[in-house]
Amino acid sequence: MKENNIKKEELEFVHDDDFLSVLGKIRLKEDFLAGKIKCLFCGNVITSENLYSFFEDGGVKFSCNKETCIKELEKKQ
Amino acid sequence: MEDTNTITIAWGTLKIILPWSGWLLFGLLGALFIYLYHYPEKFDAWLKKIDRFLLKFGRWREKQFILRDIRSRINIASKRINKEAEGLITKGVDVIWVNEKNIESFLRKGKVIIRMQHHENQDKNIVNAATHYVAKGVLHTSKIYLSEELQKALNLALIKKILCEEYDSGTSTDYFFVNVLRPALDANVKLGDIYDIVEKMERKGLFTRILLREIRLMGKKLYPSKPTNREFKETKEFFDFLEPFASHTTGNTIQDWEFVRDDIKVGILLVAQHGKLETEGYEPYIKRINEKINRGAQSIYLFGRKSSNIRAVKEIADQIRAENSKVFDYRVEKYFSFLRNEKLPAICIMLKIEK
Protein backbone atom coordinates (compact mmCIF):
# COMPACT_ATOMS: atom_id res chain seq x y z
CA MET A 1 0.00 0.00 0.00
CA LYS A 2 1.50 3.34 -1.00
CA GLU A 3 0.89 6.31 1.21
CA ASN A 4 2.36 9.78 0.78
CA ASN A 5 5.99 9.75 -0.27
CA ILE A 6 7.27 12.58 1.82
CA LYS A 7 10.44 14.20 0.49
CA LYS A 8 13.65 14.55 2.45
CA GLU A 9 13.89 17.14 5.17
CA GLU A 10 16.66 19.72 4.90
CA LEU A 11 18.56 20.41 8.10
CA GLU A 12 20.69 23.55 8.23
CA PHE A 13 23.71 23.52 10.51
CA VAL A 14 26.51 25.92 11.28
CA HIS A 15 29.84 24.49 12.37
CA ASP A 16 31.79 26.12 15.21
CA ASP A 17 34.63 26.85 12.76
CA ASP A 18 32.28 29.03 10.69
CA PHE A 19 30.16 30.51 13.45
CA LEU A 20 32.06 33.73 14.06
CA SER A 21 32.43 34.52 10.36
CA VAL A 22 28.68 33.88 9.92
CA LEU A 23 27.97 36.25 12.81
CA GLY A 24 30.33 38.78 11.21
CA LYS A 25 28.35 38.60 7.98
CA ILE A 26 25.09 39.40 9.78
CA ARG A 27 26.86 42.06 11.87
CA LEU A 28 26.36 40.39 15.24
CA LYS A 29 29.89 39.20 15.96
CA GLU A 30 30.80 42.14 18.19
CA ASP A 31 27.55 41.83 20.16
CA PHE A 32 28.14 38.10 20.66
CA LEU A 33 31.71 38.58 21.84
CA ALA A 34 30.59 41.37 24.18
CA GLY A 35 27.91 39.10 25.71
CA LYS A 36 25.08 41.29 24.49
CA ILE A 37 23.07 38.54 22.76
CA LYS A 38 20.34 36.88 24.81
CA CYS A 39 18.15 33.82 24.39
CA LEU A 40 14.79 34.79 22.92
CA PHE A 41 12.94 32.47 25.28
CA CYS A 42 14.66 32.66 28.69
CA GLY A 43 16.74 35.83 28.41
CA ASN A 44 20.03 34.16 29.36
CA VAL A 45 23.17 35.53 27.71
CA ILE A 46 24.17 33.37 24.73
CA THR A 47 27.73 32.09 24.98
CA SER A 48 29.77 29.50 23.11
CA GLU A 49 28.81 27.09 25.92
CA ASN A 50 25.02 27.34 25.68
CA LEU A 51 24.37 28.36 22.05
CA TYR A 52 21.85 26.00 20.42
CA SER A 53 20.44 27.76 17.35
CA PHE A 54 19.56 30.99 15.63
CA PHE A 55 16.84 32.07 13.22
CA GLU A 56 15.04 35.04 11.70
CA ASP A 57 12.10 36.40 13.68
CA GLY A 58 11.90 40.13 13.10
CA GLY A 59 15.70 40.24 13.31
CA VAL A 60 18.09 37.39 14.02
CA LYS A 61 17.19 35.68 17.29
CA PHE A 62 19.08 33.08 19.30
CA SER A 63 18.10 30.13 21.44
CA CYS A 64 20.08 28.55 24.26
CA ASN A 65 20.25 24.82 24.95
CA LYS A 66 17.82 24.69 27.89
CA GLU A 67 15.14 22.02 27.36
CA THR A 68 12.31 24.56 27.75
CA CYS A 69 13.90 26.85 25.16
CA ILE A 70 14.39 23.98 22.67
CA LYS A 71 10.72 23.13 23.17
CA GLU A 72 9.74 26.75 22.50
CA LEU A 73 11.93 26.69 19.41
CA GLU A 74 9.93 23.74 18.07
CA LYS A 75 6.90 25.99 17.84
CA LYS A 76 8.80 28.28 15.46
CA GLN A 77 9.28 25.48 12.93
CA MET B 1 56.04 -33.57 -6.81
CA GLU B 2 53.09 -32.56 -4.68
CA ASP B 3 54.07 -28.88 -5.04
CA THR B 4 54.16 -29.21 -8.82
CA ASN B 5 50.67 -30.72 -8.78
CA THR B 6 49.33 -27.87 -6.68
CA ILE B 7 50.84 -25.30 -9.04
CA THR B 8 49.38 -27.14 -12.04
CA ILE B 9 45.91 -27.24 -10.47
CA ALA B 10 46.12 -23.55 -9.48
CA TRP B 11 47.28 -22.56 -12.99
CA GLY B 12 44.53 -24.68 -14.55
CA THR B 13 41.92 -23.00 -12.36
CA LEU B 14 43.27 -19.54 -13.20
CA LYS B 15 43.13 -20.36 -16.94
CA ILE B 16 39.43 -21.11 -16.51
CA ILE B 17 38.67 -18.05 -14.36
CA LEU B 18 40.75 -15.42 -16.21
CA PRO B 19 38.69 -15.30 -19.44
CA TRP B 20 35.62 -14.70 -17.23
CA SER B 21 37.27 -12.20 -14.87
CA GLY B 22 36.01 -9.22 -16.86
CA TRP B 23 32.45 -10.45 -16.52
CA LEU B 24 33.03 -11.28 -12.87
CA LEU B 25 34.25 -7.74 -12.22
CA PHE B 26 31.37 -6.32 -14.22
CA GLY B 27 28.93 -8.42 -12.18
CA LEU B 28 30.46 -7.35 -8.88
CA LEU B 29 30.38 -3.69 -9.87
CA GLY B 30 26.77 -4.09 -11.03
CA ALA B 31 25.80 -5.68 -7.71
CA LEU B 32 27.59 -2.88 -5.86
CA PHE B 33 25.82 -0.25 -7.93
CA ILE B 34 22.41 -1.82 -7.22
CA TYR B 35 23.23 -2.03 -3.50
CA LEU B 36 24.26 1.63 -3.38
CA TYR B 37 21.15 2.66 -5.28
CA HIS B 38 18.92 0.89 -2.78
CA TYR B 39 20.89 1.64 0.38
CA PRO B 40 22.67 5.01 -0.07
CA GLU B 41 22.45 5.56 3.68
CA LYS B 42 24.56 2.46 4.33
CA PHE B 43 27.16 3.68 1.84
CA ASP B 44 27.15 6.95 3.78
CA ALA B 45 27.78 4.96 6.95
CA TRP B 46 30.84 3.27 5.36
CA LEU B 47 32.25 6.59 4.16
CA LYS B 48 31.67 8.00 7.63
CA LYS B 49 34.00 5.35 9.03
CA ILE B 50 36.68 6.35 6.52
CA ASP B 51 36.22 10.01 7.48
CA ARG B 52 36.48 9.10 11.15
CA PHE B 53 39.74 7.29 10.47
CA LEU B 54 41.11 10.27 8.50
CA LEU B 55 40.32 12.57 11.42
CA LYS B 56 43.32 11.02 13.17
CA PHE B 57 45.57 12.81 10.69
CA GLY B 58 43.95 16.23 10.75
CA ARG B 59 40.71 18.18 10.77
CA TRP B 60 40.19 18.54 7.01
CA ARG B 61 37.41 15.88 7.03
CA GLU B 62 35.76 17.25 10.18
CA LYS B 63 32.60 18.72 8.63
CA GLN B 64 32.28 15.83 6.19
CA PHE B 65 32.41 13.34 9.07
CA ILE B 66 29.79 15.22 11.11
CA LEU B 67 27.53 15.52 8.07
CA ARG B 68 27.82 11.84 7.07
CA ASP B 69 27.45 10.59 10.62
CA ILE B 70 24.24 12.51 11.19
CA ARG B 71 22.82 11.89 7.73
CA SER B 72 23.48 8.14 7.72
CA ARG B 73 22.07 7.58 11.21
CA ILE B 74 18.89 9.53 10.58
CA ASN B 75 18.39 8.07 7.10
CA ILE B 76 18.86 4.47 8.26
CA ALA B 77 16.42 5.07 11.12
CA SER B 78 13.84 6.88 9.00
CA LYS B 79 13.88 4.06 6.45
CA ARG B 80 13.16 1.55 9.21
CA ILE B 81 10.45 3.67 10.80
CA ASN B 82 8.75 4.20 7.44
CA LYS B 83 8.88 0.44 6.92
CA GLU B 84 6.92 0.04 10.14
CA ALA B 85 4.36 2.67 9.14
CA GLU B 86 4.78 4.06 5.65
CA GLY B 87 4.76 7.83 5.30
CA LEU B 88 5.13 8.38 9.03
CA ILE B 89 8.22 10.53 8.73
CA THR B 90 10.14 12.22 5.94
CA LYS B 91 12.38 10.06 3.78
CA GLY B 92 15.43 11.00 5.80
CA VAL B 93 17.44 14.19 5.66
CA ASP B 94 19.83 16.28 3.64
CA VAL B 95 22.32 18.24 5.70
CA ILE B 96 23.34 21.72 4.59
CA TRP B 97 26.23 23.66 6.06
CA VAL B 98 25.51 27.31 6.51
CA ASN B 99 28.45 29.71 6.06
CA GLU B 100 29.07 33.42 5.56
CA LYS B 101 28.23 33.14 1.85
CA ASN B 102 24.78 31.60 2.21
CA ILE B 103 23.65 32.62 5.70
CA GLU B 104 21.44 35.51 4.58
CA SER B 105 19.45 33.40 2.13
CA PHE B 106 18.72 30.74 4.77
CA LEU B 107 17.64 33.34 7.31
CA ARG B 108 15.40 34.96 4.70
CA LYS B 109 13.76 31.56 4.09
CA GLY B 110 12.95 31.38 7.81
CA LYS B 111 15.26 28.43 8.51
CA VAL B 112 16.27 27.53 12.04
CA ILE B 113 20.04 26.98 12.04
CA ILE B 114 21.43 24.53 14.56
CA ARG B 115 24.93 24.82 15.94
CA MET B 116 27.30 21.88 15.48
CA GLN B 117 30.37 21.60 17.66
CA HIS B 118 33.71 19.97 16.80
CA HIS B 119 33.64 16.20 16.31
CA GLU B 120 34.91 15.60 19.86
CA ASN B 121 31.37 16.60 20.86
CA GLN B 122 29.71 14.43 18.23
CA ASP B 123 27.37 12.75 20.73
CA LYS B 124 25.90 16.13 21.53
CA ASN B 125 25.78 17.03 17.81
CA ILE B 126 23.86 13.87 16.95
CA VAL B 127 21.39 14.29 19.79
CA ASN B 128 20.78 17.93 18.79
CA ALA B 129 20.37 16.95 15.13
CA ALA B 130 17.94 14.12 15.96
CA THR B 131 15.98 16.43 18.28
CA HIS B 132 15.75 19.05 15.54
CA TYR B 133 14.74 16.46 12.95
CA VAL B 134 12.00 14.97 15.13
CA ALA B 135 10.66 18.47 15.87
CA LYS B 136 10.73 19.44 12.21
CA GLY B 137 10.15 16.33 10.18
CA VAL B 138 7.91 14.02 12.19
CA LEU B 139 4.15 14.35 12.61
CA HIS B 140 4.34 18.12 12.41
CA THR B 141 0.72 18.38 11.26
CA SER B 142 -0.55 16.03 13.97
CA LYS B 143 1.35 17.01 17.09
CA ILE B 144 -0.83 20.05 17.71
CA TYR B 145 -3.72 17.69 18.54
CA LEU B 146 -1.76 16.03 21.36
CA SER B 147 -1.32 17.16 24.94
CA GLU B 148 2.03 18.72 25.81
CA GLU B 149 3.16 15.67 27.80
CA LEU B 150 2.17 13.23 25.07
CA GLN B 151 3.99 15.33 22.46
CA LYS B 152 7.13 15.34 24.61
CA ALA B 153 6.96 11.60 25.29
CA LEU B 154 6.53 10.79 21.60
CA ASN B 155 9.43 13.08 20.66
CA LEU B 156 11.71 11.49 23.25
CA ALA B 157 10.74 7.98 22.14
CA LEU B 158 11.39 8.85 18.49
CA ILE B 159 14.76 10.44 19.26
CA LYS B 160 15.70 7.30 21.19
CA LYS B 161 14.52 5.12 18.31
CA ILE B 162 16.72 7.06 15.87
CA LEU B 163 19.77 6.96 18.16
CA CYS B 164 19.38 3.26 18.92
CA GLU B 165 19.95 2.47 15.24
CA GLU B 166 23.67 2.93 15.74
CA TYR B 167 25.50 -0.38 15.57
CA ASP B 168 29.02 0.93 16.04
CA SER B 169 30.74 1.92 19.24
CA GLY B 170 28.95 5.28 19.29
CA THR B 171 27.94 6.69 22.61
CA SER B 172 25.28 9.16 21.57
CA THR B 173 22.54 6.96 23.09
CA ASP B 174 24.32 7.08 26.44
CA TYR B 175 24.68 10.84 26.12
CA PHE B 176 20.95 11.13 25.35
CA PHE B 177 19.97 8.93 28.32
CA VAL B 178 22.12 10.78 30.83
CA ASN B 179 21.74 14.36 29.62
CA VAL B 180 18.30 14.53 28.03
CA LEU B 181 15.97 11.62 28.71
CA ARG B 182 16.61 10.92 32.39
CA PRO B 183 16.53 14.59 33.50
CA ALA B 184 13.32 15.18 31.49
CA LEU B 185 11.57 12.15 33.01
CA ASP B 186 12.83 12.87 36.54
CA ALA B 187 11.56 16.43 36.35
CA ASN B 188 8.03 15.46 35.30
CA VAL B 189 6.34 12.41 36.83
CA LYS B 190 3.40 12.55 34.42
CA LEU B 191 5.76 12.62 31.45
CA GLY B 192 7.63 9.65 32.95
CA ASP B 193 4.41 7.62 33.23
CA ILE B 194 3.43 8.36 29.64
CA TYR B 195 6.93 7.59 28.39
CA ASP B 196 6.91 4.21 30.17
CA ILE B 197 3.71 3.26 28.32
CA VAL B 198 5.18 4.42 25.00
CA GLU B 199 8.20 2.20 25.68
CA LYS B 200 5.91 -0.72 26.36
CA MET B 201 4.13 -0.02 23.06
CA GLU B 202 7.46 0.09 21.26
CA ARG B 203 8.45 -3.31 22.64
CA LYS B 204 5.17 -4.78 21.41
CA GLY B 205 5.51 -3.13 18.01
CA LEU B 206 2.54 -0.82 18.49
CA PHE B 207 4.26 2.56 18.82
CA THR B 208 4.79 3.35 15.16
CA ARG B 209 2.44 0.75 13.65
CA ILE B 210 -0.70 1.92 15.43
CA LEU B 211 -0.21 4.90 17.73
CA LEU B 212 1.80 7.20 15.46
CA ARG B 213 0.14 5.96 12.31
CA GLU B 214 -3.36 6.74 13.57
CA ILE B 215 -2.30 10.09 15.04
CA ARG B 216 -0.79 10.98 11.68
CA LEU B 217 -4.00 10.04 9.86
CA MET B 218 -5.96 12.19 12.29
CA GLY B 219 -3.64 15.13 11.61
CA LYS B 220 -4.06 14.65 7.87
CA LYS B 221 -7.82 14.92 8.30
CA LEU B 222 -7.82 17.92 10.63
CA TYR B 223 -4.77 20.07 9.94
CA PRO B 224 -4.66 23.11 9.97
CA SER B 225 -7.86 23.45 11.99
CA LYS B 226 -7.23 24.78 15.49
CA PRO B 227 -7.14 21.99 18.08
CA THR B 228 -9.97 21.97 20.58
CA ASN B 229 -10.59 20.00 23.77
CA ARG B 230 -12.40 17.39 21.70
CA GLU B 231 -9.24 16.43 19.78
CA PHE B 232 -7.06 16.50 22.90
CA LYS B 233 -9.58 14.25 24.63
CA GLU B 234 -9.76 11.87 21.69
CA THR B 235 -5.99 11.47 21.32
CA LYS B 236 -5.60 11.00 25.08
CA GLU B 237 -8.35 8.38 25.15
CA PHE B 238 -6.81 6.62 22.18
CA PHE B 239 -3.48 6.50 23.97
CA ASP B 240 -5.18 5.12 27.12
CA PHE B 241 -7.08 2.62 24.97
CA LEU B 242 -3.84 1.16 23.56
CA GLU B 243 -2.22 0.75 26.98
CA PRO B 244 -3.90 -2.56 27.97
CA PHE B 245 -3.04 -4.00 24.55
CA ALA B 246 0.60 -3.03 25.09
CA SER B 247 0.52 -4.70 28.51
CA HIS B 248 -1.28 -7.80 27.26
CA THR B 249 0.75 -10.99 27.48
CA THR B 250 -1.28 -13.98 26.29
CA GLY B 251 -4.57 -15.75 26.71
CA ASN B 252 -6.75 -18.56 25.49
CA THR B 253 -9.61 -16.49 24.17
CA ILE B 254 -9.88 -14.08 21.26
CA GLN B 255 -8.48 -10.73 22.28
CA ASP B 256 -9.91 -7.75 20.49
CA TRP B 257 -10.15 -4.05 21.06
CA GLU B 258 -12.09 -1.30 19.36
CA PHE B 259 -11.86 2.49 19.34
CA VAL B 260 -14.35 4.21 17.06
CA ARG B 261 -14.68 7.95 17.68
CA ASP B 262 -14.95 11.09 15.55
CA ASP B 263 -11.53 10.95 13.93
CA ILE B 264 -9.84 7.75 15.06
CA LYS B 265 -11.65 4.56 14.08
CA VAL B 266 -9.60 1.50 14.86
CA GLY B 267 -10.14 -2.18 15.52
CA ILE B 268 -7.46 -4.53 16.82
CA LEU B 269 -7.48 -8.30 16.88
CA LEU B 270 -4.85 -10.53 18.39
CA VAL B 271 -4.86 -13.98 16.82
CA ALA B 272 -3.80 -16.58 19.36
CA GLN B 273 -3.16 -20.26 18.72
CA HIS B 274 -5.08 -21.67 21.64
CA GLY B 275 -8.82 -21.59 22.24
CA LYS B 276 -11.12 -20.70 19.40
CA LEU B 277 -8.51 -20.94 16.68
CA GLU B 278 -8.01 -24.65 17.46
CA THR B 279 -11.63 -25.57 18.03
CA GLU B 280 -13.58 -23.29 15.70
CA GLY B 281 -11.11 -22.20 13.03
CA TYR B 282 -11.12 -18.70 11.57
CA GLU B 283 -14.87 -18.01 11.60
CA PRO B 284 -15.04 -16.32 15.04
CA TYR B 285 -12.25 -13.97 13.93
CA ILE B 286 -13.92 -13.20 10.60
CA LYS B 287 -17.18 -12.52 12.45
CA ARG B 288 -15.51 -10.09 14.86
CA ILE B 289 -13.70 -8.25 12.06
CA ASN B 290 -16.97 -7.84 10.16
CA GLU B 291 -18.64 -6.52 13.32
CA LYS B 292 -15.89 -3.95 13.74
CA ILE B 293 -16.24 -2.87 10.11
CA ASN B 294 -20.02 -2.53 10.55
CA ARG B 295 -19.51 -0.39 13.65
CA GLY B 296 -17.35 2.05 11.68
CA ALA B 297 -13.73 0.95 12.12
CA GLN B 298 -11.63 2.28 9.23
CA SER B 299 -8.38 0.52 10.12
CA ILE B 300 -8.31 -3.04 11.40
CA TYR B 301 -5.02 -4.31 12.77
CA LEU B 302 -4.48 -8.07 12.97
CA PHE B 303 -1.59 -9.19 15.12
CA GLY B 304 -0.04 -12.59 15.63
CA ARG B 305 3.12 -13.98 17.23
CA LYS B 306 4.86 -17.31 16.49
CA SER B 307 4.78 -19.04 13.12
CA SER B 308 1.42 -20.86 13.42
CA ASN B 309 -0.36 -17.65 14.39
CA ILE B 310 1.44 -15.71 11.68
CA ARG B 311 0.05 -18.16 9.13
CA ALA B 312 -3.43 -17.83 10.66
CA VAL B 313 -3.28 -14.01 10.52
CA LYS B 314 -2.36 -14.15 6.82
CA GLU B 315 -5.16 -16.58 6.02
CA ILE B 316 -7.74 -14.62 8.01
CA ALA B 317 -6.71 -11.43 6.18
CA ASP B 318 -6.95 -13.19 2.80
CA GLN B 319 -10.39 -14.55 3.64
CA ILE B 320 -11.81 -11.23 4.84
CA ARG B 321 -10.42 -9.43 1.78
CA ALA B 322 -12.09 -11.96 -0.48
CA GLU B 323 -15.42 -11.82 1.35
CA ASN B 324 -15.85 -8.19 2.39
CA SER B 325 -15.73 -5.63 -0.41
CA LYS B 326 -15.31 -2.78 2.08
CA VAL B 327 -11.70 -3.88 2.60
CA PHE B 328 -9.99 -1.93 -0.16
CA ASP B 329 -6.34 -2.07 0.81
CA TYR B 330 -3.97 -3.79 3.18
CA ARG B 331 -0.42 -3.74 4.44
CA VAL B 332 1.63 -6.63 5.76
CA GLU B 333 4.62 -6.24 8.01
CA LYS B 334 6.72 -8.86 9.72
CA TYR B 335 8.79 -7.89 12.75
CA PHE B 336 9.97 -9.15 16.13
CA SER B 337 7.93 -8.68 19.28
CA PHE B 338 8.77 -9.24 22.92
CA LEU B 339 6.71 -11.54 25.16
CA ARG B 340 8.01 -11.88 28.71
CA ASN B 341 11.50 -10.92 27.49
CA GLU B 342 11.35 -13.58 24.76
CA LYS B 343 11.93 -12.27 21.23
CA LEU B 344 9.35 -13.76 18.88
CA PRO B 345 8.57 -13.41 15.17
CA ALA B 346 5.39 -11.43 14.73
CA ILE B 347 3.12 -10.08 12.02
CA CYS B 348 0.88 -7.07 11.72
CA ILE B 349 -1.63 -6.85 8.87
CA MET B 350 -3.50 -3.59 8.56
CA LEU B 351 -6.77 -3.73 6.65
CA LYS B 352 -7.98 -0.43 5.29
CA ILE B 353 -11.75 -0.09 5.26
CA GLU B 354 -13.91 2.13 3.05
CA LYS B 355 -15.70 4.98 4.85
Side-chain angles (χ1 to χ4, degrees), chain B residues 269-281:
Chain B
L269 214 82
L270 182 64
V271 177
Q273 187 182 11
H274 301 295
K276 296 223 175 202
L277 190 58
E278 280 179 340
T279 54
E280 298 174 44

Side-chain angles (χ1 to χ4, degrees), chain A residues 3 10 13 16-18 48, chain B residues 63 98 115 118 136 216:
Chain A
E3 288 193 9
E10 280 185 358
F13 297 142
D16 271 0
D17 285 350
D18 300 323
S48 56
Chain B
K63 281 162 75 176
V98 168
R115 179 249 191 125
H118 287 109
K136 204 179 167 201
R216 173 179 169 260

Side-chain angles (χ1 to χ4, degrees), chain B residues 65-81:
Chain B
F65 165 72
I66 294 172
L67 178 149
R68 284 211 168 102
D69 195 19
I70 290 170
R71 192 171 61 191
S72 62
R73 282 165 194 259
I74 294 180
N75 289 353
I76 288 171
S78 66
K79 206 169 200 177
R80 205 183 99 177
I81 292 169

Side-chain angles (χ1 to χ4, degrees), chain B residues 180-303:
Chain B
V180 181
L181 185 64
R182 197 42 53 201
L185 301 184
D186 289 345
N188 186 337
V189 178
K190 200 174 164 192
L191 175 66
D193 292 343
I194 294 173
Y195 183 83
D196 287 344
I197 298 169
V198 172
E199 279 282 279
K200 224 186 276 179
M201 289 182 188
E202 168 67 0
R203 282 174 65 79
K204 286 283 169 65
L206 311 176
F207 172 50
T208 49
R209 290 174 188 87
I210 300 190
L211 179 67
L212 294 189
R213 187 180 179 282
E214 289 299 326
I215 286 171
R216 173 179 169 260
L217 289 178
M218 182 185 184
K220 271 177 79 181
K221 275 189 218 166
L222 299 177
Y223 192 80
S225 70
K226 205 177 165 202
T228 64
N229 279 340
R230 185 189 68 75
E231 287 93 20
F232 288 132
K233 190 168 174 272
E234 187 163 327
T235 49
K236 187 196 176 301
E237 286 176 356
F238 180 58
F239 183 77
D240 294 342
F241 154 82
L242 284 177
E243 200 272 334
F245 185 47
S247 305
H248 179 73
T249 49
T250 188
N252 289 335
T253 55
I254 296 179
Q255 298 291 329
D256 69 321
W257 293 261
E258 197 171 303
F259 186 92
V260 177
R261 302 289 163 85
D262 292 340
D263 298 303
I264 302 174
K265 300 167 193 287
V266 170
I268 302 171
L269 214 82
L270 182 64
V271 177
Q273 187 182 11
H274 301 295
K276 296 223 175 202
L277 190 58
E278 280 179 340
T279 54
E280 298 174 44
Y282 299 152
E283 276 318 306
Y285 290 94
I286 301 288
K287 184 171 166 256
R288 288 195 187 210
I289 294 168
N290 281 325
E291 284 168 0
K292 287 181 194 311
I293 293 171
N294 293 337
R295 285 195 290 265
Q298 287 173 2
S299 308
I300 308 263
Y301 295 88
L302 307 179
F303 283 91

